[in-house]
Amino acid sequence: MGPQKTSYADLLIIGAGPAGLVAAYWASEYGLDARVIDDKPDRVTKGHADGITCRTMEMFDSFGIAGQVYEEAALDYQIRYWRLNAVGRLDRAQSINSQAAGICRFQQCLLSQGRIEELLEDRISRGKGRLRVERDVETLRLTLHQRDDPDASAETHPVQVNVRHGRSGGGCMGDGDDDDHVEETIRARYVIGADGAHSWTRRQLGLTMRGEQANHVWGVVDLVAVTDFPDIRQTCVVCSEHGNLHVVPRERGMVRLYVQLDDDGVNPSAAAELRSEATLETILATAGKALRPFLLECARLDWWSVYQVGQRIADRFSAGECVFLVGDAIHTHSPKVGQGMNVSMQDSYNLGWKLGGVLKGQLQSHVLETYETERRPVAESLIAVDQETVAFYAARGENVATRDLQCFRERHYAFLSGVAIQYEGSALVYAPSAIELATGIQLGRRMPSYRVINYADARPTELASKLASDRRWAVILFAGDLRQATQLKRLEEACAALLRSRLLRTRGSSKLVTITASPRDSLPLTGLPPLLYCRDGENDGHGQENRNYEVVFSDEPDVYGAFTDVYAKYGVDREKGCLVVCRPDQHVGFIGALEDVPGLDVFFTGIFRDS
Amino acid sequence: MGPQKTSYADLLIIGAGPAGLVAAYWASEYGLDARVIDDKPDRVTKGHADGITCRTMEMFDSFGIAGQVYEEAALDYQIRYWRLNAVGRLDRAQSINSQAAGICRFQQCLLSQGRIEELLEDRISRGKGRLRVERDVETLRLTLHQRDDPDASAETHPVQVNVRHGRSGGGCMGDGDDDDHVEETIRARYVIGADGAHSWTRRQLGLTMRGEQANHVWGVVDLVAVTDFPDIRQTCVVCSEHGNLHVVPRERGMVRLYVQLDDDGVNPSAAAELRSEATLETILATAGKALRPFLLECARLDWWSVYQVGQRIADRFSAGECVFLVGDAIHTHSPKVGQGMNVSMQDSYNLGWKLGGVLKGQLQSHVLETYETERRPVAESLIAVDQETVAFYAARGENVATRDLQCFRERHYAFLSGVAIQYEGSALVYAPSAIELATGIQLGRRMPSYRVINYADARPTELASKLASDRRWAVILFAGDLRQATQLKRLEEACAALLRSRLLRTRGSSKLVTITASPRDSLPLTGLPPLLYCRDGENDGHGQENRNYEVVFSDEPDVYGAFTDVYAKYGVDREKGCLVVCRPDQHVGFIGALEDVPGLDVFFTGIFRDS
C-alpha cells in the first residue's frame, strides 16, 4: 500500500461524464474548492449517448459552447417513419418534424458523448475555477459521518471518500511521485455521485432502484455504411416484420443504428442471456433484415455495444443532505427517446448552482431540498414517456400501419424538447406570483428568448444572451411605455425600492435587464433611472465606463422593420410592464408587478442568507 | 555592419497591416514559400482604422473569423444626422439605416484595426502555411533585376530587397544570434507592397500619386467620454455652426470622434501648418463646441492623431510584373467614408489568390494583369465618393438644413457596402456569358448568398458557407427540376462533360455545389450523378466515407415551412437551371447553360495552365 494523505474539498464530483462535467461547470463558475474524479484512465472517445435536445443546446449556449457543438453535430430536423406498405414492401410512411415549430432558436442535434465531454472539459478548464478532471482514480469507500461524530471534521466535512490513484497519477498528488497506487482520503462538505447506471456512490449509500428490471436488450452500432437507403442522413424509425431499427445520423459521415434484440420485452434472466449472446454480427444481421430491400453493409466499424436496460428510478436522490446523485445513477431507461444524456446534464444543471450558492454562503441550505422535488417528476416523466415509446415501437409487422407516429410524437414533443420542463412552487418558484402579468411566461419553466433591440445602438439581441450561466440571478424589468409620465414614475419608484432591497445587498448575485415598451428614441438612456444602466447603480457623471450599454433594450422594430413584439410574446401589458426573476438556471422563479419589490424581497428572504 | 545572408522566397509581403495580412492569408492557404515583414517592432494596438463593411464581413466569414469579429465589434445599424434646427439648437434631423436592407446577411460594424490584425494573424498562423509576421525589419533597398540580367537568380527571383533586422530579431535568422542588426538580402519571385500611404515600396519603384494634394486636416480621437449626448453609441454626423463632427461607437465603451480642423479645404502648406499646430486640446475643444449644448468631456484618452489627407491614386499599381502595391500605397482619401481598411483588404483579397495560383503553376501569369484592371476602377470610385462626401459635409451652419443625408447615402449605399463592386469582362470574367440565365446574379460581382436546404439531412445552409476562401473555384450547378426525365438527362450529360473537362483535370482547384429545384424527396441523393456527391467523382459503392453530404442542396421550404425560393432570387429558371462559376474570391466569373461545359472549358483554358 502506498503513502496515505488526507485532503479537504468543498465539493467532490465522482464521475466525469456529461452529468459530472455540468456539475463541474458550476463548481468552476462559483470558484468552488472542488475536485472531479473518474475511475477511467481516459475520456470516452467512441459510442455512448449522442442525442442533444434544444433545451440542452440552450444550456450549452449559456456556457458559450453552443456554436462549436452546432458546427460539429449532425442536425436533426426530421424523423422519417418507415413501415411495410400494403404490398409488404418497406416504404416511407411519414415525415415528421423532429421538433415543434417556434419553441426554441436551436435545433436538436447529434454529437458523440465523448466530444461533448471534451468541449465541456475544455470550457471548464478555461473557466473561473480552471478545474481539471483527475482520471484513473478508483473509489474505495464512502463514509457518511454523523455531524456529531467525535471526528474533528464531521461537522464541516461529513463525507469521507477513500480513493486510490492509478498509474496515470492523480493531479493533486504532485509531480514526481514514484508510487503507482497512492491512496488518499478525501473529506468533502458535499459529494455529487455522477457515476452512471451502476453508480458506486449509490451502492455505497445503500440506495436502491425501483421499477422494471432490465427486460429490454438493445444492440447499438456506430459505423460507416455502404447503403442505398435514402434516409441514411436522417433520424428514422423503421418498423419491419424483421424487427425494429432506429437510424441516427452522426458526425463525420457515420450512422448510428439502434437494433432491438428482445421481442417485445423478456424477463430479466432471458434478457441477460440475450445480452451475453449478442454479437456484432447478430446486430448487423438483424439491422440488415429490417432494412430490406435496401442494402446495408458495414464499411468501417467505429463502436458497438449491447444494452440491457430497465426503466427504473432511485428511491432517493440524496443521502445525509450532503451526497447527491445525478444522471443515470438515479434513472435508467431505453435509448429510444434520446433523452438520457440530456436529463442527466439537466439534473446537474439544476443541482450545481444551488450547491454553489450554499457553499459560497449566499443561499440557505434548505434550497438543496428542491433538487429532488424538482428533478424527481422529470425522471418520472422520462420513464413514462420511455415506456409508452417502447410499447409504441414494439409491435411488429401487421399492426404498425395503424399507428400514427406524428400523433404520438406530438403528445411528447414538449417533454422531449426539454423546454417545457416546469418546476412546481417551492422556495425557488414563488407560488403567490402574479402570473397573469406575464401570460406568455410559465412560472417554473425556463425563460423563453426573443429578440429585443439594444437601447443604445439598435442592435437586435437575443434576450438569452443576457441569461448566461454566470451564477447570477436575472431580474428582468419590463419597464412598459415610458412616454407616459406615470409609468416612468412607477419605474423610478421600483428602482428606488430595488436599491433598498435585499437584491442589491447581495450584489454580484444578480443582474438587471430592462426592456421598455416605448421606442428608444422617445427617451434617452440617460432619462432612465441610473440603476438600470450605471455599473455603480447610481451616478451617470462618471463617463461611459460606468455605463453598461448591454442591459437596456426596447421592444420595437429593428432598423429594417422586423418587429418581434416581445411584450405580446411574453404576454406583458405594454403600458404597465412587470418584474420577472430568472434563477441562475434560467428558470422563472418570480413574476410580479413593478410595485411588488416587497414581494420580491420576501422571495429572496426565503432563499438568500443575510450578508 | 552585421553578417550578411541571402534568402529566397516565392513571395515577400512588405507591411503587416490589414492589406498585408489578407495577402498573407492567401499565401498561407496556398502554402506558398512566403514571408511577411514589417518595420515596426510591435503590432498596432490603438487607433487607426475601424470601419468594417458588410462585404468585408463576408470575406472574414470566408476566412472563418467573422463570428469573433462580430462578437467584439460595435455594430453599426443606424446613422444619425444632427444639425441646427430653426431656432439654432442642435437637433436630430434624420435617422438613416447604415446599410440598405437585404443586401447582406452581415451588418457593417466597427472594431479597431489592431484587433483585426490580431485576429487575422492568429488565423494565418493556424492556416495551412502557418505563416508568421517578422517584425522590426527595416527595408533598405529594392532592386528590380531585368530577367536577362547576368545575375543568376534574375530569371526566377527578379526582385531583390535588402533589409536589416532590428533588436527584436528576425524569425528567419535563427535563435541565439547576438548581433543586433543583421542584414539580409531577400530574393523574391513576387513582392507585395502593403506599406501604407507613405509606401517605401512605391518610392523605391519611383511610382507617383496623382490627384489632390493633402489639403484636408482631420483630428481623430478615441476616448471614453463623459457625455449626455443621446446618440453616443451610434454613428452620427453632426453639422453645427462650430464645425463638423463624426461620432463613431467603438468596442469596450469607447467612442471615436472625427473632427475636421480645416475650413472646407486649404492649400497643402496651410494644411501642413494646421496639422503641425493641432493638439489634443484643439481637437477636443472643437468637438466640444460642435456638440453644444451637450456635454462632452474626456474621462480616459485611448489614442489621438491628426491626419493630413489628399485624395490620390498611384499612377501604376505594379512594376515589372512582379511587384504589386495594395491598399493605402495606391489610394489615399479622407476617413469620412469609413472605407480605407476595407478597400485595402479587398485589393489583397483580389491579388492574393491570383499570385497563389500563378506561383502554384495552376494559373497563367497573365491573370495578374487583371489586378490593376479590376481594382483601379474601385480606387477611382472611392476617391469620387470621398470627394462628394467631403463636399457634402463641408458646408457649415446655415445651409445644411437643405441637405438630405438619406438621399446622399442612398446614392452611395451600394458602393459603400462593398457588395456591389463589379469587375469588368476579362480573362477572369467571361464576357460572352449567358447572363440572362441567372438574372439575379451579376457577372463580375460577388455571388450573393441565400439559404438552401441540405439534400441529405434537410438542414438549412447559407450557400456562402460553401464558398470559403480555400483557394478553390466553385462550380455551382443549378440542376433544375429533376422530376422531369429530360432535365435529369441534361444534368447527367453536363456531368459527363464535366468529367471530360479541364475542370476535373485540375482537380483540387475546384469544388462542385449542386442546387436542385425539385424537392429532395422526389429523387434520392443516389439518383443524382455520382460526380455531384461522391468524393472520387465516380463510385457510390464505397460507402458513406466516399460521399460528401455537404455539397448537394435543394430549393424547397425548410421543415418549418420557410421558403427562400433561391431560384427566384438568383433569377434562374426552375426547369432548366444553369451553371455558375465563382472565382476563389467569390466573384462570379462565368454563367452558362448546363450544356455549356465547352464554354466553361474555353473560360478555364484562358486561365489555367496545362497540367
Side-chain angles (χ1 to χ4, degrees):
Chain A
M1 200 177 84
Q4 292 260 2
K5 176 183 170 178
T6 298
S7 313
Y8 293 83
D10 284 345
L11 175 64
L12 174 66
I13 299 167
I14 301 173
L21 289 171
V22 169
Y25 172 86
W26 280 126
S28 175
E29 275 302 295
Y30 277 86
L32 300 185
D33 169 24
R35 297 193 35 200
V36 190
I37 60 172
D38 197 282
D39 58 357
K40 290 180 288 300
D42 298 298
R43 191 191 296 124
V44 158
T45 55
K46 294 182 173 186
H48 300 278
D50 56 3
I52 302 171
T53 65
C54 61
R55 175 58 190 151
T56 296
M57 283 304 299
E58 290 182 344
M59 183 186 75
F60 286 160
D61 181 56
S62 80
F63 295 170
I65 62 170
Q68 193 64 36
V69 171
Y70 234 39
E71 201 168 288
E72 299 180 21
L75 266 73
D76 179 10
Y77 279 91
Q78 213 174 36
I79 300 176
R80 291 190 148 175
Y81 185 30
W82 287 76
R83 57 170 167 69
L84 301 179
N85 63 15
V87 297
R89 192 186 190 279
L90 198 60
D91 214 1
R92 190 193 285 150
Q94 285 183 307
S95 291
I96 300 144
N97 283 3
S98 303
Q99 186 173 308
I103 59 167
C104 184
R105 67 198 186 287
F106 292 106
Q107 185 69 28
Q108 63 188 55
C109 56
L110 300 139
L111 186 62
S112 79
Q113 177 177 333
R115 182 59 184 145
I116 290 167
E117 291 174 8
E118 193 171 30
L119 290 170
L120 281 170
E121 262 197 75
D122 179 55
R123 173 66 184 81
I124 292 162
S125 70
R126 287 183 290 108
K128 289 172 194 146
R130 302 194 173 277
L131 211 52
R132 294 190 182 279
V133 174
E134 302 165 40
R135 298 188 192 282
D136 203 5
V137 179
E138 185 189 357
T139 45
L140 304 174
R141 280 182 312 286
L142 185 150
T143 314
L144 215 56
H145 294 278
Q146 298 301 313
R147 303 255 171 192
D148 54 3
D149 264 3
D151 176 292
S153 306
E155 174 74 26
T156 57
H157 293 74
V159 204
Q160 176 176 331
V161 178
N162 290 76
V163 303
R164 180 161 47 210
H165 293 271
R167 282 170 197 279
S168 55
C172 65
M173 298 305 285
D175 295 327
D177 201 320
D178 285 337
D179 197 290
D180 275 352
H181 297 291
V182 180
E183 292 203 359
E184 184 186 6
T185 300
I186 303 176
R187 294 297 298 257
R189 293 179 195 273
Y190 293 99
V191 166
I192 296 178
D195 45 357
H198 305 289
S199 172
W200 171 88
T201 314
R202 186 185 68 220
R203 283 180 281 123
Q204 288 282 308
L205 296 171
L207 303 183
T208 52
M209 297 294 278
R210 297 205 174 140
E212 281 190 60
Q213 290 299 308
N215 59 349
H216 288 289
V217 182
W218 286 86
V220 189
V221 55
D222 289 343
L223 56 91
V224 171
V226 178
T227 185
D228 55 357
F229 182 64
D231 291 344
I232 199 72
R233 287 301 292 168
Q234 297 202 199
T235 308
C236 294
V237 174
V238 179
C239 292
S240 82
E241 57 187 329
H242 302 291
N244 292 342
L245 179 69
H246 288 221
V247 175
V248 180
R250 284 282 297 278
E251 70 273 14
R252 293 180 286 115
M254 287 194 301
V255 64
R256 162 165 291 192
L257 304 175
Y258 285 105
V259 187
Q260 190 170 356
L261 299 177
D262 65 284
D263 199 7
D264 220 354
V266 290
N267 67 53
S269 65
E273 196 181 318
L274 203 54
R275 182 190 177 179
S276 67
E277 286 172 1
T279 62
L280 174 63
E281 287 65 37
T282 331
I283 299 168
L284 288 177
T286 308
K289 273 192 286 185
L291 212 59
R292 279 182 195 161
F294 297 105
L295 177 73
L296 178 70
E297 287 173 2
C298 177
R300 186 172 64 74
L301 177 74
D302 194 66
W303 175 80
W304 73 281
S305 185
V306 182
Y307 286 124
Q308 176 185 359
V309 193
Q311 291 151 329
R312 297 189 294 164
I313 300 184
D315 54 351
R316 282 159 53 216
F317 286 12
S318 65
E321 294 164 21
C322 52
V323 184
F324 297 87
L325 299 174
V326 295
D328 290 352
I330 47 173
H331 39 71
T332 62
H333 53 94
S334 89
K336 285 226 160 159
V337 286
Q339 290 295 311
M341 182 162 60
N342 298 281
V343 174
S344 295
M345 286 192 286
Q346 296 288 342
D347 285 344
S348 301
Y349 191 52
N350 181 291
L351 173 65
W353 65 268
K354 296 171 184 173
L355 271 177
V358 168
L359 278 166
K360 281 292 173 184
Q362 293 168 346
L363 300 182
Q364 299 168 33
S365 61
H366 70 78
V367 301
L368 297 175
E369 295 163 16
T370 64
Y371 167 60
E372 184 159 343
T373 59
E374 291 187 339
R375 296 305 297 175
R376 179 174 287 281
V378 177
E380 284 168 353
S381 298
L382 173 62
I383 300 297
V385 172
D386 189 49
Q387 283 170 338
E388 265 201 74
T389 305
V390 168
F392 180 85
Y393 292 140
R396 297 194 175 186
E398 66 280 2
N399 68 342
V400 292
T402 62
R403 292 165 188 274
D404 187 330
L405 184 61
Q406 174 114 33
C407 284
F408 180 77
R409 291 280 307 183
E410 276 174 4
R411 272 200 294 130
H412 298 301
Y413 256 158
F415 178 78
L416 294 176
S417 70
V419 300
I421 302 297
Q422 186 161 6
Y423 300 140
E424 294 298 308
S426 72
L428 294 176
V429 178
Y430 196 63
S433 277
I435 53 173
E436 74 282 358
L437 292 173
T439 54
I441 301 174
Q442 309 288 320
L443 194 67
R445 278 199 193 180
R446 73 89 166 89
M447 182 78 177
S449 177
Y450 300 109
R451 271 161 52 120
V452 287
I453 303 297
N454 183 297
Y455 207 88
D457 63 14
R459 179 181 193 159
T461 307
E462 278 289 335
L463 182 65
S465 68
K466 304 286 101 189
L467 306 177
S469 294
D470 59 6
R471 80 190 197 179
R472 288 183 293 167
W473 294 64
V475 178
I476 303 170
L477 287 102
F478 286 89
D481 188 341
L482 302 180
R483 286 170 296 197
Q484 302 181 17
T486 52
Q487 183 63 15
L488 181 56
K489 191 150 190 301
R490 284 182 73 218
L491 180 65
E492 286 165 347
E493 286 169 358
C495 288
L498 283 170
L499 270 168
R500 292 188 303 267
S501 81
R502 177 175 295 270
L503 171 74
L504 293 197
R505 287 211 304 278
T506 50
R507 226 184 155 82
S509 307
S510 64
K511 50 193 172 189
L512 290 176
V513 178
T514 305
I515 306 170
T516 69
S518 42
R520 42 197 290 276
D521 277 357
S522 61
L523 182 73
L525 187 69
T526 49
L528 271 65
L531 177 67
L532 303 181
Y533 70 94
C534 287
R535 294 186 197 277
D536 69 2
E538 292 173 25
N539 196 323
D540 188 45
H542 297 331
Q544 294 182 289
E545 273 170 339
N546 189 37
R547 289 185 190 165
N548 187 343
Y549 290 118
E550 303 294 333
V551 290
V552 182
F553 303 91
S554 72
D555 179 22
E556 66 180 290
D558 70 18
V559 300
Y560 300 117
F563 183 36
T564 307
D565 200 355
V566 300
Y567 269 70
K569 290 220 161 44
Y570 287 127
V572 175
D573 187 311
R574 294 189 75 87
E575 303 212 338
K576 300 210 172 100
C578 72
L579 269 179
V580 174
V581 176
C582 294
R583 320 185 314 181
D585 61 1
Q586 306 177 330
H587 281 254
V588 177
F590 178 91
I591 301 174
L594 289 180
E595 283 77 13
D596 204 14
V597 176
L600 183 59
D601 240 19
V602 170
F603 175 56
F604 279 133
T605 302
I607 302 166
F608 280 89
R609 290 179 62 177
D610 283 318
S611 54
Chain B
M1 202 177 83
Q4 292 259 3
K5 176 184 170 177
T6 298
S7 314
Y8 293 84
D10 283 345
L11 175 64
L12 173 67
I13 299 168
I14 300 174
L21 289 171
V22 169
Y25 172 87
W26 280 126
S28 175
E29 276 302 296
Y30 277 86
L32 299 185
D33 169 24
R35 291 182 53 189
V36 190
I37 60 172
D38 198 282
D39 57 357
K40 289 179 289 299
D42 298 298
R43 192 191 295 123
V44 158
T45 56
K46 295 183 173 187
H48 301 277
D50 56 5
I52 302 171
T53 65
C54 61
R55 175 57 190 152
T56 296
M57 283 304 299
E58 290 181 345
M59 182 187 75
F60 286 160
D61 181 57
S62 79
F63 295 171
I65 62 170
Q68 193 63 37
V69 170
Y70 234 39
E71 201 167 287
E72 299 181 21
L75 266 74
D76 180 11
Y77 279 91
Q78 213 174 38
I79 299 176
R80 290 191 147 173
Y81 185 30
W82 287 76
R83 57 169 166 70
L84 302 180
N85 64 14
V87 297
R89 192 184 190 280
L90 197 61
D91 214 1
R92 190 192 285 148
Q94 283 183 307
S95 292
I96 300 144
N97 283 5
S98 303
Q99 187 173 307
I103 59 168
C104 183
R105 67 198 187 286
F106 293 106
Q107 185 69 28
Q108 63 188 55
C109 56
L110 300 139
L111 186 62
S112 79
Q113 176 178 332
R115 182 59 184 145
I116 291 166
E117 290 174 8
E118 193 170 31
L119 290 169
L120 282 169
E121 261 198 76
D122 180 55
R123 173 66 184 83
I124 293 162
S125 70
R126 288 182 290 107
K128 288 172 195 148
R130 302 194 174 276
L131 210 52
R132 293 189 182 279
V133 174
E134 301 166 41
R135 298 187 192 284
D136 203 4
V137 179
E138 185 190 357
T139 45
L140 304 174
R141 280 182 312 286
L142 185 150
T143 315
L144 215 57
H145 295 277
Q146 298 302 312
R147 304 255 170 191
D148 54 2
D149 263 5
D151 177 294
S153 306
E155 174 74 25
T156 58
H157 293 75
V159 203
Q160 175 175 331
V161 178
N162 290 75
V163 303
R164 179 160 49 209
H165 292 273
R167 283 169 196 276
S168 55
C172 66
M173 299 303 288
D175 296 326
D177 201 320
D178 285 337
D179 197 289
D180 276 351
H181 298 291
V182 179
E183 291 202 2
E184 184 186 7
T185 300
I186 304 176
R187 294 297 298 257
R189 292 180 195 272
Y190 292 99
V191 166
I192 296 178
D195 46 356
H198 305 289
S199 171
W200 171 88
T201 313
R202 186 186 67 221
R203 282 179 282 122
Q204 288 282 309
L205 295 171
L207 303 183
T208 53
M209 298 294 278
R210 296 204 176 141
E212 281 191 60
Q213 289 300 308
N215 58 350
H216 287 288
V217 182
W218 285 86
V220 189
V221 55
D222 289 343
L223 56 92
V224 171
V226 178
T227 185
D228 55 358
F229 181 64
D231 291 344
I232 199 71
R233 287 301 293 168
Q234 296 200 200
T235 309
C236 294
V237 174
V238 178
C239 292
S240 82
E241 58 186 331
H242 302 291
N244 293 342
L245 180 69
H246 287 220
V247 175
V248 180
R250 284 281 298 277
E251 69 276 12
R252 293 180 287 113
M254 286 195 302
V255 63
R256 162 165 291 193
L257 304 175
Y258 286 104
V259 187
Q260 190 169 356
L261 299 176
D262 66 285
D263 201 7
D264 220 354
V266 290
N267 67 52
S269 67
E273 194 180 321
L274 203 55
R275 182 190 179 179
S276 66
E277 286 170 0
T279 63
L280 174 62
E281 288 64 36
T282 330
I283 299 167
L284 289 177
T286 309
K289 272 193 286 186
L291 212 59
R292 279 182 197 162
F294 297 104
L295 178 73
L296 179 70
E297 287 174 2
C298 177
R300 187 173 63 73
L301 177 74
D302 195 66
W303 175 80
W304 73 281
S305 185
V306 182
Y307 287 125
Q308 177 185 358
V309 192
Q311 291 151 328
R312 296 189 294 164
I313 300 184
D315 55 350
R316 281 159 53 214
F317 286 12
S318 66
E321 294 164 23
C322 52
V323 184
F324 297 87
L325 299 174
V326 294
D328 290 352
I330 47 174
H331 40 70
T332 62
H333 54 94
S334 90
K336 285 227 159 160
V337 285
Q339 290 296 311
M341 181 162 59
N342 297 282
V343 174
S344 294
M345 287 192 286
Q346 296 289 342
D347 285 343
S348 301
Y349 191 51
N350 181 291
L351 173 65
W353 65 268
K354 296 172 184 173
L355 271 177
V358 168
L359 278 166
K360 282 290 173 185
Q362 293 168 345
L363 300 182
Q364 298 168 33
S365 62
H366 69 79
V367 300
L368 297 175
E369 295 164 15
T370 64
Y371 167 61
E372 184 160 343
T373 59
E374 293 187 336
R375 296 305 296 175
R376 179 175 286 281
V378 177
E380 284 168 353
S381 298
L382 173 63
I383 300 298
V385 172
D386 189 51
Q387 283 169 337
E388 265 200 74
T389 306
V390 168
F392 180 85
Y393 292 141
R396 296 194 177 186
E398 66 280 1
N399 68 340
V400 292
T402 60
R403 292 165 189 275
D404 187 330
L405 184 60
Q406 174 114 33
C407 285
F408 180 77
R409 291 280 307 184
E410 276 174 4
R411 270 199 295 131
H412 299 302
Y413 258 158
F415 178 79
L416 294 176
S417 71
V419 299
I421 302 297
Q422 187 160 6
Y423 301 140
E424 295 298 309
S426 71
L428 294 176
V429 177
Y430 196 63
S433 276
I435 53 174
E436 73 281 0
L437 292 173
T439 54
I441 299 173
Q442 309 288 320
L443 195 67
R445 278 199 193 181
R446 74 89 166 88
M447 182 78 177
S449 177
Y450 301 109
R451 270 160 54 119
V452 287
I453 304 298
N454 183 296
Y455 207 87
D457 64 13
R459 178 181 194 159
T461 307
E462 279 288 336
L463 183 64
S465 68
K466 304 286 103 189
L467 305 178
S469 294
D470 59 6
R471 80 189 197 181
R472 288 183 293 166
W473 294 65
V475 178
I476 303 169
L477 286 103
F478 286 89
D481 188 341
L482 302 181
R483 288 169 297 197
Q484 302 181 18
T486 51
Q487 182 63 15
L488 181 56
K489 190 149 191 302
R490 283 183 72 218
L491 180 64
E492 286 164 348
E493 286 169 358
C495 289
L498 283 170
L499 270 167
R500 292 188 303 268
S501 80
R502 176 176 297 269
L503 171 73
L504 293 198
R505 288 211 304 278
T506 51
R507 230 186 152 80
S509 308
S510 64
K511 50 192 172 190
L512 289 176
V513 178
T514 304
I515 306 170
T516 69
S518 41
R520 42 198 289 277
D521 277 357
S522 62
L523 182 73
L525 187 67
T526 49
L528 271 65
L531 176 66
L532 303 181
Y533 70 92
C534 286
R535 293 186 197 279
D536 70 1
E538 291 173 26
N539 196 322
D540 187 46
H542 297 329
Q544 294 183 288
E545 272 169 338
N546 189 38
R547 289 187 190 164
N548 187 343
Y549 290 118
E550 303 294 334
V551 291
V552 182
F553 303 91
S554 73
D555 180 22
E556 65 180 302
D558 70 19
V559 300
Y560 300 116
F563 183 36
T564 307
D565 200 354
V566 301
Y567 269 72
K569 290 218 161 43
Y570 288 126
V572 176
D573 187 312
R574 293 189 76 86
E575 304 211 339
K576 301 211 172 102
C578 72
L579 268 181
V580 174
V581 176
C582 295
R583 321 187 311 184
D585 61 2
Q586 306 178 329
H587 281 254
V588 177
F590 178 91
I591 300 174
L594 288 181
E595 283 77 11
D596 203 14
V597 175
L600 183 58
D601 241 18
V602 170
F603 175 55
F604 280 132
T605 302
I607 301 166
F608 279 89
R609 290 179 61 175
D610 283 319
S611 53

